[in-house]
Structure formats: C-alpha cells, structure tokens
Amino acid sequence: MTISTLPELRIASANFGSGGIDRATGSTERWEKTISALRAWQPHIVLCQEISALTPCGLRAHLWATANALDMIPLLGPPTPLSLTGNHPAILISTSAGLAILDAGPAAYPTGSGPQPAWCEALVQVPGWRHPLHAYSVHLPPRSSTEQRSQADRLASRIAELGELAVAGGDWNSYGRADRVSAIALSAQPPHLRPPRMRYTAHDQTVTPNYDVHDVLASVGTEDAAAFLQPGQRQPADLTATGINNGGRVDRIYLTFDLTQAAARYIQQDTGGSDHHALMLTLDTARAATAIPWGQWHSSPA
C-alpha cells in the first residue's frame, strides 16, 4: 500500500536523549521505550534529535538500528553545535510507504565559516502530492540565545529562499508565543538554561520568556502547528510542556503557511525514554496534495 492510498501523512518528532543509551551501563532501555512509542504511531517521517552512541564509531550503527526498528531509511545531520556528547539530528523516511527521498542535507559549511547547521534536512516526494515536502529536524544549542538566534536566522532564511512546502520540527530549546510559561516556571528552570530561555528586566527584577526563535520563524510565514490547531484536534487538548521539567513547549513542529490547512491532528506523549516528549503531527493528504508552495506566490528580490 502506498501513501497515496492513505488519508494522512504522519510526521513525528523525537528527542532520543543521548541516543537513548545509558552512558554508565550501556543499557538501551530508554531507546527501546522511544522506539516502542514511535512504532505504535507508525509515522511516515520521523524528525530525530540527539542521535548518538557511546563511541563515535558506533554512531552510524546505532542510527541504522533505530531506522531498521521502524522499517525506515535514515539520513544523518551534522554534529549538533556546542554538543558535548556527540549528538546529531537525523531524519527517518518510510520509503516502504511510498515516500521517495529526492535530496538530503544540509551541505557542510566551509571550514572557518561558522558553526555547522543545527539541523538535518530531506526533500521528500509524497505520492499524489503536486510538490515535494522539505523536512527539517532541528536541535538548537541549549546554552546560548545568541547561537539559537543565529541558527534560526539561517534556517528561516533557507526556508524562505527555497519557497517550498516545508515542515521544521524538533528541540528548539526556547519558547513559542502560544506558550503560557509563568514567572514561577521560568525561575524553576535549571540555572544553565536560564540565559537562553528568558529575558531579565533589571528595574523590577522579573524574568519573561525569550521568543526570538519563534519570531524569526514567524517572520517568514511559518506557523506553530500545535497552536494553530483547535483544542479538539490536540492530545492533550491544552498546550502543555514538552519536557519533564515543565519548562514549556521547547519541542515544536512548524509548517509553512501553505500547509497549515492540511494540519489535522497533533499528539504529544511522554515515552519514558527521554527528558522530552515525542510529538506527532498528522496532515490531511488530500489538502496537502494541492497545496501551492509560497515561493510560487512571491517573487524573490535579487
């Protein structure tokens, strides 16, 4: 059965938490829990973060084990900038469901030109769709708002320049405008996460959420998919924190506005395998199939 005979395209995002491997014991119990949750969802695309192994030479074997467990094809992104444990973003594609991988990236940046992109990307043809889908698995640096903003600028510029149907999801390590993160919740964040995730106002000594990354993405016409949907289309119905430390929705999935009307359902689940919840966004393929990329509506200046 090919995806063109199915009513929906399922796109998941999962932070595996250092590959789902216990670095002290080598146990893969956490990895198995995440795999079990994803297998139950049967996604067609999985946007992965924190793919890693105990040793660098085991990275690709672990990536393939992850893909094989889900009957998918893996694409590995560059090392996550500022990662101390060798984490990578990756994308898994269900070619057995009829999806075709047309291209993969990003291209490596020349030495000395700055940090490598904090994402993995894939250009995917979904059978029955008039235009291909560009998927991005994103993991922004957790300890620097400056680095987050820089990476968000680069990613948003790429999405805007290509003007394609696009989905970008993952661990943004920052908040969306729809999040209701209280001052109490902000103050309870681990000290090392306070600088990138919040702003401090000296005159009244208060903290507020940092929305820079979300605003950059919104500036090129992308939408926070979970916030776009109605409560009845979400599980849970409320917009709740995606991390076990109740630190807001640092994990989100964005759609270019040409795909928002195809958004049908959103699920968020604590898999027990990571300190992040897994997400899944479902697109109505009949609506997505006729979507016109925004690049065909707007001409780019020279």
Side-chain angles (χ1 to χ4, degrees):
M1 179 180 291
T2 65
I3 190 66
S4 59
T5 66
L6 299 175
E8 58 189 28
L9 178 71
R10 296 184 293 275
I11 303 170
S13 178
N15 183 316
F16 278 75
S18 297
I21 304 171
D22 188 305
R23 295 189 174 275
T25 66
S27 169
T28 60
E29 181 181 357
R30 290 193 299 105
W31 175 83
E32 291 164 4
K33 289 180 178 179
T34 300
I35 290 295
S36 178
L38 291 173
R39 189 180 287 128
W41 282 352
Q42 296 185 319
H44 304 106
I45 298 174
V46 182
L47 310 175
C48 306
Q49 302 86 48
E50 294 202 27
I51 294 295
S52 65
L54 293 178
T55 62
C57 61
L59 173 65
R60 294 188 182 277
H62 187 59
L63 174 67
W64 273 102
T66 302
N68 289 339
L70 297 170
D71 189 26
M72 304 179 91
I73 299 297
L75 302 171
L76 185 66
T80 300
L82 306 183
S83 171
L84 301 178
T85 53
N87 290 321
H88 292 246
I91 299 179
L92 310 180
I93 307 291
S94 179
T95 56
S96 62
L99 282 71
I101 302 169
L102 305 181
D103 200 359
Y109 276 42
T111 302
S113 63
Q116 294 297 311
W119 65 83
C120 178
E121 61 186 78
L123 185 64
V124 181
Q125 183 63 60
V126 181
W129 287 32
R130 186 180 306 173
H131 301 280
L133 174 68
H134 213 127
Y136 301 86
S137 176
V138 185
H139 190 184
L140 297 190
R143 297 169 185 263
S144 170
S145 61
T146 302
E147 292 292 338
Q148 289 181 5
R149 174 62 189 260
S150 175
Q151 290 283 352
D153 284 346
R154 291 157 65 185
L155 176 60
S157 294
R158 177 161 177 76
I159 291 172
E161 182 178 24
L162 293 176
E164 298 170 331
L165 303 178
V167 56
D171 180 0
W172 303 92
N173 273 304
S174 57
Y175 306 117
R177 283 282 179 184
D179 289 333
R180 298 178 179 176
V181 186
S182 68
I184 294 175
L186 286 174
S187 299
Q189 291 298 290
H192 71 283
L193 297 179
R194 292 171 63 89
R197 294 190 182 182
M198 61 191 74
R199 299 294 188 217
Y200 176 75
T201 304
H203 78 274
D204 59 3
Q205 298 184 337
T206 59
V207 290
T208 55
N210 178 1
Y211 297 119
D212 285 356
V213 168
H214 173 90
D215 291 346
V216 166
L217 294 168
S219 75
V220 297
T222 67
E223 293 274 1
D224 177 351
F228 178 84
L229 291 169
Q230 297 299 311
Q233 297 173 288
R234 300 191 299 246
Q235 182 184 334
D238 293 332
L239 295 174
T240 60
T242 61
I244 62 174
N245 62 2
N246 195 32
R249 287 187 313 122
V250 296
D251 305 271
R252 299 184 298 281
I253 298 175
Y254 287 85
L255 291 172
T256 45
F257 69 84
D258 34 39
L259 280 175
T260 53
Q261 295 304 318
R265 190 169 68 256
Y266 169 85
I267 301 174
Q268 176 181 317
Q269 178 182 329
D270 181 359
T271 67
S274 172
D275 56 345
H276 293 256
H277 294 181
L279 321 176
M280 188 167 74
L281 176 68
T282 299
L283 300 181
D284 181 296
T285 55
R287 291 189 173 188
T290 57
I292 300 175
W294 83 297
Q296 295 192 11
W297 291 89
H298 302 270
S299 59
S300 301

